[in-house]
Amino acid sequence: MSGQGSVTPITNRKGTAFFSSSGTTTVLGSATFDGFVSYFANKRHAVRFAGGVGVLQDLSGDKIVVSFSGYDRDTGAPDFTFSVKGSVRGGTGNYAGAEGPFTGTGSLNSATGAFSIQLTVKLAPT
């Protein structure tokens, strides 16, 4: 998936942020990716560790659930790049019982919460 989204602006050294994004996928077509991330950040609000759960949903309502962890790289506050990796934890509809690896990269403005993201999900054959 390649898309744009927003996340609760990071204003504390630790907390939980909720994110919402939409974009286009190679297989699913238009899709959304929403969820939450718990984080620990430094004074400049660069996330030093984050862990969360996200749901990738296609237009028919079928879902892929992922869990992930990752961190930011400070590119000059308030802008950061991020990297996450994790696992597919199941799904609904066409993706019931799904499993496999998940990775994501993107950029984030911690002051506004705007971000761009590139996701890769590799589902194991069932």
Side-chain angles (χ1 to χ4, degrees), residues 3 5 10 61 66 71 81 85 90-91 93 102 105-106 120:
I10 297 170
V66 300
Y71 57 91
T81 59
K85 63 181 178 177
F102 163 83
T105 59
T120 302

Side-chain angles (χ1 to χ4, degrees), residues 2-56:
S2 177
Q4 302 291 316
S6 63
V7 65
T8 310
I10 297 170
T11 58
N12 298 313
R13 301 274 308 263
K14 67 179 185 173
T16 300
F18 297 89
F19 64 87
S20 179
S21 61
S22 61
T24 304
T25 68
T26 304
V27 177
L28 306 177
S30 294
T32 59
F33 183 61
D34 303 315
F36 69 90
V37 58
S38 296
Y39 64 87
F40 294 95
N42 68 14
K43 292 179 201 174
R44 291 170 38 97
H45 300 133
V47 172
R48 293 298 168 220
F49 176 78
V53 174
V55 177
L56 183 64

Side-chain angles (χ1 to χ4, degrees), residues 55-107:
V55 177
L56 183 64
Q57 181 172 318
D58 66 17
L59 289 177
S60 69
D62 294 343
K63 299 174 184 175
I64 298 170
V65 179
V66 300
S67 62
F68 58 88
S69 62
Y71 57 91
D72 286 344
R73 286 194 175 87
D74 191 345
T75 57
D79 297 315
F80 303 93
T81 59
F82 63 87
S83 177
V84 295
K85 63 181 178 177
S87 301
V88 174
R89 299 289 184 200
T92 64
N94 289 328
Y95 312 109
E99 52 185 40
F102 163 83
T103 60
T105 59
S107 61

Side-chain angles (χ1 to χ4, degrees), residues 97-125:
E99 52 185 40
F102 163 83
T103 60
T105 59
S107 61
L108 165 70
N109 180 302
S110 66
T112 66
F115 71 90
S116 65
I117 191 164
Q118 297 283 327
L119 305 177
T120 302
V121 177
K122 295 185 179 182
L123 299 178

